[in-house]
Amino acid sequence: MSFSLSEQNDTIIALATPQGVGAIAVIRLSGKDAIQLTNEVFFGKNLSIQESHTIHFGTIRDGEKIIDEVLVSLFIAPKSFTKENVVEISTHGSSYIVNQVLKLFIRKGVRPAKPGEFTQRAFLNGQFDLAQAEAVADLIHADSETSHQAALSQMRGGFSSEIQELRNRLIHFASMIELELDFGEEDVEFASREELRALVERLLRVVEELILSFDLGNVIKNGVPTVIAGKPNAGKSTLLNALLNEEKAIVSEIAGTTRDFIEDEINIGGVIFRFIDTAGLRETTDIIEAIGVSRTQEKMKSASLILYLFDLGDTDLVEINRDINKLENQGVPFLKVANKVDKGNSQLISELKDKYPDTIFISAGNKENLEELKSRILVLVNLDKFRTGNTVVTNVRHYDSLVKTRESLLDILTGLDNEVTNDFVAMDIRRSLHFLGEITGEITTDDLLENIFRNFCIGK
Ligand SMILES: Nc1nc2c(ncn2[C@@H]2O[C@H](COP(=O)(O)OP(=O)(O)OP(=O)(O)O)[C@@H](O)[C@H]2O)c(=O)[nH]1
Ligand SMILES: [Mg+2]
């Protein structure tokens, strides 16, 4: 898929609402001829003399045949999402009607839109920059409060304006240095090396902070990976099921029931957690179980959070101490969760309360104290940093560009340290500008655009 210039002049059409039966369906057209072509099949007012942002009732007809009674909304260029003429036709939500309307327009020369083509036109026509366009897709797919907030603030330009500002300051320096280059042999200095160094160091701090925010951003977008780990029969699968309210994982009294990991998402307090139930940790000669155990260990390393679950009836303090030591050495935050309180074991319970007062006592089987567990999970992941409205990077592409920006900024500093000549400094600055520009779309290639918009849905 690539968009040639002539294709950009086409009028495009797509269903903007989900496929299938619904109360209404919205079909969207964008392009120079959108209004005029709609007018040719619409019976009601003459659409070509109506004002922008008005809605009109009438029928869509194929020759004599009425396809449906519809509402037509008009957005006249440039006051529309794509900055082109846009028509939105609300029909009754039947796929038969939708298909008839789409076919009718396609017969009239309208082209079916490619995925993301409306948003791509909006970008190409300057409605917003590339990072904002990408946020449109994130917003549609956001399924929790935090991911929604991150996408919304990016779409509204928070992240872009930060990048833009950095870029503008660098452009200023670049032009000074290029000016010096023009003077060639003469020994003039328009751009103070000290000021440039100070600016680059400031930029580096901002870029590093954005790079660091990616971990958090990633977690917000894809869910906090949370591993439930412990000995066989601790009740890990029971806990997963209890949190999900669904019999997702097989539970049995046989130790070693879960072999492969099983995962699902749960929304806790507006944050998506990806809970991963794993094979119980033990030495085993069973080949398949052993593979499961080594997968558990891998999952634990890449987790943001571990729920260390143990059976109060089947564990002693020595064992718990040993496990906690191991977990502390791994460095992944973890919660100590004692399961099967319903069965008692008052001695261990009081030992634990003494030695590890932050232990959470639950019964996964009876769904006891799960609310306490959930709120402790929320406290531990601490997303406050995000809630205060800091800019968070959620997009891998932006992350890559930021990492490359950091490298080229470091190159500028090294160059300044070694007192390299202007043309080298200018080159490194241009490289930084290039990578920053990639984020907002000042610098784009067809491949890049194709990659981004191909992940959009059709009609967006
Ligand atoms: N009494 C009691 N039994 C429980 C509780 N939670 C789980 N069980 C029982 O403990 C046994 C093991 O539960 P599972 O959830 O399969 O344990 P697991 O940790 O997933 O075990 P593996 O997959 O073998 O590693 C089952 O018989 C459960 O019914 C609980 O809170 N109280
Ligand atoms: Mg299990």
Side-chain angles (χ1 to χ4, degrees), residues 35 53-56 71-75 86-90:
I35 296 174
H53 295 67
T54 54
I55 302 178
H56 309 277
L71 285 177
V72 169
S73 313
L74 299 180
F75 305 88
V86 168
V87 176
E88 286 182 6
I89 305 173
S90 305

Side-chain angles (χ1 to χ4, degrees), residues 28-32 75-86 118-128:
R28 176 146 71 167
L29 291 105
S30 180
K32 203 164 55 25
F75 305 88
I76 297 175
K79 282 163 57 184
S80 75
F81 178 64
T82 56
K83 296 201 167 217
E84 302 172 335
N85 285 333
V86 168
F118 291 94
T119 311
Q120 177 160 22
R121 285 185 175 197
F123 161 68
L124 292 172
N125 293 328
Q127 176 77 283
F128 38 53

Side-chain angles (χ1 to χ4, degrees), residues 397-430:
R397 192 182 71 79
H398 301 165
Y399 175 78
D400 282 344
S401 298
L402 286 167
V403 169
K404 289 185 195 137
T405 306
R406 175 173 61 189
E407 278 165 22
S408 45
L409 287 173
L410 286 170
D411 287 347
I412 300 178
L413 287 184
T414 315
L416 289 175
D417 284 344
N418 298 329
E419 295 179 7
V420 298
T421 51
N422 275 347
D423 41 350
F424 282 109
V425 178
M427 207 171 72
D428 288 333
I429 294 182
R430 262 185 254 125

Side-chain angles (χ1 to χ4, degrees), residues 133-424:
E134 290 169 291
V136 173
D138 287 345
L139 190 65
I140 294 173
H141 293 116
D143 51 6
S144 72
E145 187 190 336
T146 41
S147 57
H148 167 255
Q149 268 183 30
L152 194 65
S153 83
Q154 188 180 321
M155 191 183 76
R156 294 175 63 86
F159 174 61
S160 299
S161 58
E162 199 153 346
I163 299 288
Q164 196 56 52
E165 199 189 314
L166 300 182
R167 206 165 173 262
N168 287 342
R169 288 198 234 159
L170 258 186
I171 287 174
H172 173 72
F173 261 96
S175 54
M176 294 301 218
I177 288 190
E178 311 265 338
L179 204 61
E180 285 176 25
L181 285 174
D182 287 345
F183 279 77
E185 303 296 296
E186 295 164 58
D187 207 7
V188 288
E189 197 179 276
F190 294 106
S192 138
R193 294 288 175 275
E194 282 322 299
E195 272 178 50
L196 176 60
R197 175 189 296 278
L199 172 67
V200 171
E201 280 169 354
R202 246 191 352 259
L203 293 185
L204 257 177
R205 276 198 297 277
V206 178
V207 167
E208 302 231 320
E209 210 168 286
L210 289 171
I211 288 174
L212 280 178
S213 80
F214 179 68
D215 274 349
L216 180 67
N218 204 24
V219 149
I220 288 166
K221 196 162 150 184
N222 301 321
V224 184
T226 307
V227 166
I228 309 175
K231 270 203 307 190
N233 262 352
K236 301 178 294 299
S237 302
T238 310
L239 178 59
L240 178 81
N241 292 347
L243 289 167
L244 289 174
N245 260 323
E246 179 191 336
E247 299 308 308
K248 174 120 185 169
I250 299 172
V251 165
S252 87
E253 67 290 344
I254 302 164
T257 304
T258 307
R259 300 296 183 86
D260 213 341
F261 59 88
I262 298 166
E263 61 179 87
D264 211 336
E265 290 180 353
I266 304 166
N267 184 327
I268 301 178
V271 182
I272 297 288
F273 287 84
R274 228 161 10 88
F275 279 95
I276 305 158
D277 173 27
T278 58
L281 291 166
R282 68 166 168 187
E283 300 283 331
T284 175
T285 49
D286 181 306
I287 299 173
I288 296 170
E289 193 185 351
I291 296 173
V293 171
S294 85
R295 286 194 178 171
T296 303
Q297 279 151 349
E298 271 166 39
K299 285 278 162 193
M300 285 170 75
K301 280 186 207 134
S302 59
S304 289
L305 177 62
I306 294 171
L307 303 186
Y308 164 52
L309 191 72
F310 53 91
D311 179 346
L312 282 167
D314 175 41
T315 327
D316 58 27
L317 201 58
V318 178
E319 207 178 333
I320 295 170
N321 283 334
R322 200 193 55 211
D323 289 344
I324 287 177
N325 266 331
K326 270 195 212 150
L327 284 163
E328 275 170 349
N329 286 333
Q330 273 201 355
V332 179
F334 65 95
L335 288 176
K336 310 170 195 70
V337 189
N339 190 27
K340 311 194 190 178
V341 275
D342 54 297
K343 287 207 301 200
N345 191 354
S346 47
Q347 196 205 329
L348 181 59
I349 293 177
S350 75
E351 282 173 348
L352 279 166
K353 283 188 171 158
D354 218 30
K355 180 136 198 229
Y356 300 113
D358 57 345
T359 308
I360 306 157
F361 295 89
I362 65 164
S363 164
N366 300 336
K367 301 195 179 176
E368 232 174 275
N369 226 10
L370 296 186
E371 288 311 311
E372 156 88 5
L373 176 62
K374 287 186 197 170
S375 61
R376 291 281 298 282
I377 289 174
L378 260 188
V379 172
L380 201 68
V381 295
N382 180 16
L383 294 173
D384 286 351
K385 200 164 75 177
F386 170 70
R387 293 188 201 281
T388 56
N390 283 355
T391 305
V392 179
V393 177
T394 57
N395 185 303
V396 188
R397 192 182 71 79
H398 301 165
Y399 175 78
D400 282 344
S401 298
L402 286 167
V403 169
K404 289 185 195 137
T405 306
R406 175 173 61 189
E407 278 165 22
S408 45
L409 287 173
L410 286 170
D411 287 347
I412 300 178
L413 287 184
T414 315
L416 289 175
D417 284 344
N418 298 329
E419 295 179 7
V420 298
T421 51
N422 275 347
D423 41 350
F424 282 109

